[in-house]
Amino acid sequence: VDDAYIHMAVAKTLASHYIWGCTPFHFSSSSSSLLWTFGLGVAYRAFQVHDWTPFLLNVAFAVGTLVVANVSLARLGAPPLLRASALLGIVVAFPLAGMVLLGMEHILHVLLTIGFAAVAVETLTNPPESPRLIRRRTLALCVLGALLGASRYEGFFLVGLTCLAFLVRRQLLRAVSIGAAALLPVAAFGVISVANG
C-alpha cells in the first residue's frame, strides 16, 4: 500500500535528517497521522530503518487493543461471554489481522479510541468523588485525547462528543481542558506547517 510507504518515507527522513517530509530537501505535510509517523521516526532512530518496523508496532498495538478492550469492558461490568464476543468482533469485523499487515496507523487509532472511550464512559457514568481521582481522570482524558487526535483526525469526533457531554453536565473546565489538549498537537503541527510555507 503506497500510504504505508509515505508514512515510512516521512519517518525515515525525520529519523535521518530531522525533517518532516518525504525527502531530506524540504518539509512536506504528506502524512495524515502525526502520531504514527512520529512513532515510526522514533523507532527508526532507535533501531534503524527496517520495512518490518510497522508490522512489529502493529502486532504490539493489536495485542494492546485486545488487552485494553478486555480490561475496559471488565471495569464497566461486562460479563465474560460479552467480553469474549466483543474481542472476537474486534478481531473479525475490524479485521485486526488484515490491519496488522497494512503497516498503517489504524490499529493504534482503535487502541486509543477504546482507551479514551472507556475512561470517558467511566467518568461520565460513575463520577469520582475524590478530587484527586477527578484530576487523574481528567488528565488521562487530556493525554488520550491529544494522542487520539494526533493518531487520526477522525478521533476529534469522539473527543468533541465527550466534551459536549461534559458541557451538558456543566463541567466547563473539564470540557475545555480535554478539547484544548486534543487540539494542541494538531495546532502545533499547523504552526510548523505554516512556518515551512
Side-chain angles (χ1 to χ4, degrees):
V1 179
D2 61 342
D3 289 350
Y5 280 93
I6 292 170
H7 291 299
M8 293 168 69
V10 175
K12 177 182 175 183
T13 306
L14 181 64
S16 306
H17 303 282
Y18 303 104
I19 293 174
W20 188 281
C22 289
T23 68
F25 305 111
H26 62 84
F27 174 91
S28 69
S29 179
S30 307
S31 171
S32 60
S33 177
L34 306 177
L35 182 61
W36 177 253
T37 304
F38 181 77
L40 274 178
V42 170
Y44 286 166
R45 184 78 185 157
F47 305 109
Q48 299 181 337
V49 177
H50 300 286
D51 282 347
W52 43 262
T53 301
F55 171 76
L56 291 181
L57 287 173
N58 272 337
V59 168
F61 291 138
V63 171
T65 298
L66 295 175
V67 169
V68 167
N70 185 50
V71 169
S72 299
L73 288 168
R75 287 180 60 114
L76 293 170
L81 184 58
L82 178 60
R83 292 198 319 260
S85 299
L87 296 178
L88 184 61
I90 291 171
V91 170
V92 174
F94 180 50
L96 199 59
M99 291 296 170
V100 165
L101 297 175
L102 274 182
M104 292 179 58
E105 75 279 1
H106 299 93
I107 298 175
L108 172 62
H109 179 70
V110 168
L111 170 61
L112 292 168
T113 299
I114 292 171
F116 181 88
V119 175
V121 167
E122 190 173 1
T123 304
L124 289 163
T125 57
N126 299 315
E129 305 204 357
S130 150
R132 184 169 171 250
L133 189 52
I134 291 171
R135 285 192 299 272
R136 278 182 50 198
R137 284 192 186 171
T138 302
L139 179 62
L141 286 170
C142 287
V143 170
L144 287 169
L147 294 173
L148 180 58
S151 70
R152 283 185 69 88
Y153 299 138
E154 291 89 338
F156 288 118
F157 291 110
L158 179 58
V159 173
L161 288 172
T162 303
C163 292
L164 183 60
F166 283 118
L167 283 174
V168 167
R169 287 172 170 72
R170 294 189 170 102
Q171 297 180 23
L172 177 64
L173 181 60
R174 185 178 262 180
V176 170
S177 299
I178 295 165
L183 289 172
L184 188 62
V186 175
F189 187 73
V191 169
I192 293 168
S193 294
V194 170
N196 283 281

